[in-house]
């Protein structure tokens, strides 16, 4: 309740954005682009005409206070959003200039191209470390046998986990530490060789050392992928990202190069949030 | 006056002792049943007893009958029950499934004699004879709702983030259910199956009205058949000590059969992956 009131107040004080957001131009250099995305859970609107461009080989950070819709927004990019009961969405999300919500598009194919790492590490409890990494390729029938061994090794190496688990590949995926499990989940996502990787607060359950490892990994990942990372940690956003989007109450308040957002934000809300006045 | 730490320690010990006492109280009936059945039933156990007909002093037909009944019922009921449970848990987000779930839960509560009398009216009277078929159907009516329910409950316990992890990799829904969700819920489902099978193995009331009992080995799906629970029941009503002793032995055999099935299934499904 309280949040709704503050939001209305902010709407009154905040300079309004141009009304014709649906006319947002298509950026042909973008890897992914959200155009005028609105999301509802039942009657409650959670995202309000959000636009965002994700460039190839960059890291884009999404920041904002709890409940502002970051996770919801992220889940629109690989069509995980529609799995929630009574979830509704309008607008477009382009992947290589094609709307992933086109009726002829199979969401399963989109999820293979746009991988996801969740907030809490969630390895498959009945599978070994090896099988966890191989799971996507096995269960989609993409790869088998020797080829699989190579991919598992390469993915674990890329996730900087290989040296820690190379002798325990047959142990359960849940038998390693939380930070290792999170890197295992990253390896599992990379093994699918997606084009984009979405990360929803991947470090929130981890200690500083594991966090540092994952941050380093995120920066390395952008050589091959476009990465979108949701984080509550400003320092993390400024350390790893090239672009930053600030969201507030379901709206995208400001988007730009990370250095600009952190050093010279255009909106007062952004400034307040970054300097810790609220949030 | 005790200080508060000592008092809390005292409370802790008190509750611990209470728990132990409760466990003992719970074990007493179980242990005494096992003891009684074993001491009274073990005496006349022999190969002849296990394999010959009643007229030759054995309960062979009853053992065979129970194996056939439980086997047939499991073959019919387990797949239907497990699949229904999967449907209700993984795809049961609609009106139809909600009604199905409610009906299923009600059937689970039915006294088994009501199922027996229903099958008697529907099948036995129609076919004009007590039969193995009628017994199998009656027991299936008992088994399927239980299996459906326990399967659904076990699958519901699988955290949603495991499903999401799989779906986010681009694994299809049905594949996620089979390869990720089911293995995670395997132990719970198996426990449910074993409980249900053990329960139908000991059902007596519906059998009286469907397979009736028989002095002979299996004669066909459309003929009456013997079963261990019926054997126990009939023998227990007899005034003759020999017959009563046979009843005790039959009871022991039933317990052993249930036990063996449980152990074998547990061993066979023991997870290969050890932490
Ligand atoms: N499955 C759902 N059903 C109904 N409402 C939901 C659901 N998921 C999220 N919401 C609502 O949508 C809003 C945005 O949630 P979201 O999880 O996207 O926030 P967030 O920015 O990721 O927050 P946090 O930083 O705490 O993770 C919240 O108000 C939440 O209550
Ligand atoms: Mg979130």
């Amino acid at each position: 309740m309280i949040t709704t009131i503050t939001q209305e107040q902010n709407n009154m004080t905040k300079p309004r954005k141009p009304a014709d957001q649906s006319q947002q131009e298509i950026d042909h250099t973008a890897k992914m682009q959200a155009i005028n995305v609105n999301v509802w859970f039942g009657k409650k609107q959670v995202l309000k005409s959000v636009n965002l461009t994700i460039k190839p080989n960059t890291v884009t950070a999404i920041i904002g206070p709890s409940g502002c819709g970051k996770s919801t927004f992220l889940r629109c990019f690989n069509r995980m959003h529609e799995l929630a009961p009574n979830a509704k969405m309008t607008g477009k999300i382009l992947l290589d200039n094609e709307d992933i919500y086109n009726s002829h598009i199979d969401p399963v194919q989109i999820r293979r191209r746009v991988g996801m790492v969740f907030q809490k590490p969630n390895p498959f409890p009945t599978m070994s470390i090896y099988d966890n990494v191989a799971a996507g390729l096995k269960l989609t029938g993409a790869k088998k046998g020797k080829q699989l061994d190579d991919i598992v090794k390469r993915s674990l190496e890329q996730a900087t986990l290989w040296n820690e688990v190379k002798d325990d590949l047959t142990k359960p995926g849940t038998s390693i530490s939380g930070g290792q499990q999170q890197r295992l989940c990253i390896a599992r996502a990379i093994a699918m060789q997606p084009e984009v990787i979405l990360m929803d607060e991947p470090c929130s359950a981890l200690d500083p050392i594991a966090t540092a490892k994952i941050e380093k990994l995120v920066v390395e990942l952008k050589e091959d992928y476009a990465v979108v990372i949701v984080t509550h940690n400003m320092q993390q956003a400024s350390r790893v990202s090239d672009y930053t989007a600030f969201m507030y109450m379901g709206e995208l308040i400001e988007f730009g190069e990370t250095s600009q957002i952190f050093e010279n934000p255009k909106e007062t809300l952004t400034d307040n949030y970054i300097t810790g006045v609220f949030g | 006056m005790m200080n508060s730490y000592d008092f809390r320690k005292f409370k802790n010990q008190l509750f611990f002792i209470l728990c132990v006492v409760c466990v003992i109280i719970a074990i007493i009936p179980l242990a005494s049943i096992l003891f009684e059945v074993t001491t009274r039933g073990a005496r006349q156990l022999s190969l002849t007893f296990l394999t010959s007909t009643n007229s030759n002093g054995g309960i062979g037909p009853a053992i065979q009958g129970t194996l056939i009944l439980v086997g047939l019922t499991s073959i019919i009921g387990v797949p239907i029950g497990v699949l229904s449970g999967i449907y209700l848990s993984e795809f049961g987000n609609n009106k139809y499934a909600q009604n199905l779930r409610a009906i299923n839960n009600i059937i689970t509560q039915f006294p088994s004699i009501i199922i027996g009398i229903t099958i008697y009216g529907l099948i036995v009277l129609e076919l004009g004879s007590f039969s193995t078929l009628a017994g199998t159907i009656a027991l299936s009516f008992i088994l399927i709702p239980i299996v459906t329910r326990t399967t659904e409950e076990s699958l519901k316990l699988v955290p949603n983030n495991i499903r999401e992890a799989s779906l986010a990799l681009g694994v299809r829904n049905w594949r996620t259910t089979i390869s990720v969700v089911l293995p995670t819920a395997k132990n719970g489902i198996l426990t449910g199956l074993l409980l249900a099978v053990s329960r139908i193995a000991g059902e007596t009331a519906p059998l009286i009205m469907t397979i009736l009992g028989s002095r002979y080995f299996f004669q066909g799906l459309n003929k009456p058949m013997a079963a261990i629970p019926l054997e126990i029941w009939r023998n227990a009503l007899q005034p003759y000590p020999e017959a009563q002793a046979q009843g005790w032995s039959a009871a022991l055999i039933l317990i052993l059969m249930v036990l063996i099935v449980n152990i074998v299934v547990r061993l066979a499904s023991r997870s290969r992956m050890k932490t």
Side-chain angles (χ1 to χ4, degrees):
Chain A
M1 284 315 295
I2 297 163
T3 49
T4 335
I5 295 163
T6 37
Q7 180 201 4
E8 276 160 13
Q9 286 168 345
N10 278 319
N11 280 350
M12 281 184 283
T13 53
K14 203 177 66 195
R16 300 299 309 175
K17 293 193 210 135
D20 60 340
Q21 294 203 329
S22 53
Q23 303 303 311
Q24 182 83 12
E25 274 177 40
I26 294 181
D27 180 348
H28 289 281
T29 64
K31 184 66 196 171
M32 292 194 88
Q33 190 177 9
I35 300 178
N36 202 25
V37 171
N38 290 278
V39 165
W40 293 263
F41 283 111
K43 290 217 159 54
K44 183 180 168 200
Q45 185 162 11
V46 175
L47 291 183
K48 294 161 196 158
S49 36
V50 176
N51 294 289
L52 183 71
T53 307
I54 293 158
K55 299 223 159 64
N57 302 98
T58 59
V59 175
T60 306
I62 302 181
I63 59 172
S66 190
C68 69
K70 304 181 296 294
S71 301
T72 307
F73 188 38
L74 201 66
R75 291 163 65 91
C76 291
F77 282 94
N78 64 346
R79 297 193 62 170
M80 289 298 283
H81 169 64
E82 66 205 47
L83 296 175
N86 67 48
K88 220 172 48 190
M89 182 199 145
T90 63
K92 288 182 181 169
I93 303 255
L94 308 184
L95 174 60
D96 290 339
N97 303 317
E98 187 180 25
D99 187 1
I100 63 171
Y101 285 89
N102 265 346
S103 54
H104 68 271
I105 290 204
D106 181 357
V108 167
Q109 299 299 340
I110 295 300
R111 292 179 200 138
R112 288 178 196 172
R113 294 174 62 192
V114 184
M116 186 164 214
V117 177
F118 295 82
Q119 180 165 356
K120 258 174 57 189
N122 54 358
F124 300 126
T126 57
M127 294 186 195
S128 66
I129 291 175
Y130 179 96
D131 283 336
N132 260 286
V133 182
L137 294 167
K138 272 189 182 169
L139 300 182
T140 57
K143 296 271 182 345
K144 292 195 176 67
K146 180 76 181 69
Q147 223 180 349
L148 208 54
D149 291 349
D150 295 340
I151 296 179
V152 168
K153 178 160 186 270
R154 184 146 36 84
S155 309
L156 283 170
E157 276 169 353
Q158 227 179 336
T160 65
L161 187 62
W162 174 253
N163 286 329
E164 289 158 66
V165 300
K166 62 172 184 275
D167 300 322
D168 301 322
L169 290 177
T170 54
K171 279 203 190 163
T174 44
S175 65
I176 49 182
S177 80
Q180 290 174 323
Q181 287 185 24
Q182 192 61 301
R183 279 179 283 148
L184 179 63
C185 293
I186 295 175
R188 178 174 69 184
I190 329 181
M192 293 301 286
Q193 288 159 319
E195 299 160 34
V196 180
I197 297 183
L198 311 172
M199 298 180 153
D200 192 351
E201 297 180 45
C203 304
S204 64
L206 306 181
D207 70 87
I209 295 172
T211 302
K213 282 193 178 151
I214 290 186
E215 283 182 10
K216 187 158 164 278
L217 171 60
V218 168
V219 175
E220 283 166 17
L221 285 177
K222 77 177 176 190
E223 307 226 322
D224 301 313
Y225 313 94
V227 181
V228 186
I229 182 169
V230 169
T231 176
H232 271 287
N233 182 329
M234 305 298 155
Q235 284 80 33
Q236 181 169 74
S238 63
R239 276 193 301 261
V240 302
S241 70
D242 305 299
Y243 294 91
T244 297
F246 171 61
M247 289 180 68
Y248 183 68
M249 295 276 177
E251 290 186 60
L252 191 117
I253 305 296
E254 191 168 355
F255 174 62
E257 291 194 7
T258 300
S259 51
Q260 178 253 309
I261 296 280
F262 280 93
E263 285 155 23
N264 188 14
K266 293 198 180 76
E267 304 279 338
T268 4
L269 267 175
T270 318
D271 197 18
N272 287 349
Y273 183 68
I274 287 169
T275 52
V277 173
F278 72 95
Chain B
M1 184 68 204
M2 280 189 282
N3 68 29
S4 90
Y5 175 69
D6 282 343
F7 183 57
R8 278 187 309 203
K9 228 167 92 175
F10 168 73
K11 273 198 295 190
N12 186 28
Q13 276 165 352
L14 185 71
F15 277 102
F16 179 73
I17 291 168
L18 273 178
C19 288
V20 172
V21 169
C22 289
V23 168
I24 291 171
I25 293 177
I27 286 178
I28 287 173
L30 182 71
S32 56
I33 289 175
L34 277 178
F35 178 77
E36 200 70 12
V37 171
T38 315
T39 48
R40 295 192 187 219
R43 236 170 292 149
Q44 44 284 326
L45 281 192
S46 67
L47 200 60
T48 357
F49 180 78
L50 293 178
T51 53
S52 59
T53 57
N54 298 47
S55 35
N56 296 325
I59 57 161
I63 294 178
Q64 185 203 32
T66 287
L67 288 176
I68 290 175
L69 261 186
V70 171
L72 282 180
T73 308
S74 304
I75 289 171
I76 298 173
V78 169
I80 297 180
V82 170
L83 288 175
S84 316
I86 292 174
Y87 171 74
L88 287 183
S89 161
E90 305 300 304
F91 309 94
N93 214 339
N94 53 54
K95 272 262 152 49
Y96 174 67
Q98 276 160 16
N99 292 329
L100 201 69
R101 187 177 295 121
I103 295 169
N104 190 67
N105 284 346
I106 294 170
I107 301 181
T108 322
Q109 315 292 333
F110 273 6
S112 55
I113 189 133
I114 295 189
I115 290 171
I117 211 161
T118 309
I119 300 302
Y120 178 80
L122 285 179
I123 312 264
V124 176
L125 290 185
E126 283 302 310
L127 298 183
S129 158
F130 292 100
S131 61
T132 306
L133 180 69
T136 305
I137 294 175
L139 291 188
S140 300
F141 270 58
I142 299 173
L143 181 84
I144 291 172
I146 304 180
V147 173
T148 302
R149 173 112 190 235
T150 51
T151 303
E152 187 194 357
E153 298 296 328
S154 312
L155 290 174
K156 286 241 172 87
L157 288 180
V158 175
N160 221 7
N161 63 17
I162 299 290
R163 289 184 186 84
E164 290 199 330
S166 175
L167 294 173
L169 288 172
V171 179
R172 292 202 180 274
N173 229 329
W174 61 270
R175 197 69 215 255
T176 298
T177 302
I178 295 175
S179 304
V180 176
V181 181
L182 270 184
T184 311
K186 189 185 71 180
N187 282 338
I189 296 176
L190 263 184
T191 305
L193 286 182
L194 288 175
L195 279 176
V197 169
S198 307
R199 157 129 188 238
I200 59 153
E203 277 294 343
T204 319
L207 296 189
I208 300 171
M209 304 178 142
T210 53
I211 68 169
L212 186 68
S214 161
R215 303 178 53 77
Y216 312 107
F217 280 104
F218 177 69
Q219 298 201 299
L221 284 178
N222 56 351
K223 295 279 167 23
M225 187 171 66
I228 300 179
L230 292 176
E231 192 74 26
I232 300 171
W233 180 62
R234 296 241 154 80
N235 279 317
L237 295 182
Q238 301 264 344
Y240 316 110
E242 307 87 63
Q244 290 174 2
Q246 280 206 357
W248 283 108
S249 300
L252 179 60
I253 298 294
L254 186 61
I255 291 179
L256 287 179
M257 277 169 62
V258 168
L259 198 70
I260 289 170
V261 168
N262 273 272
I263 291 173
V264 168
V265 172
R266 286 278 173 220
L267 283 184
S269 72
R270 184 91 69 72
S271 170
R272 275 158 294 137
M273 218 167 48
K274 276 265 133 57
T275 324

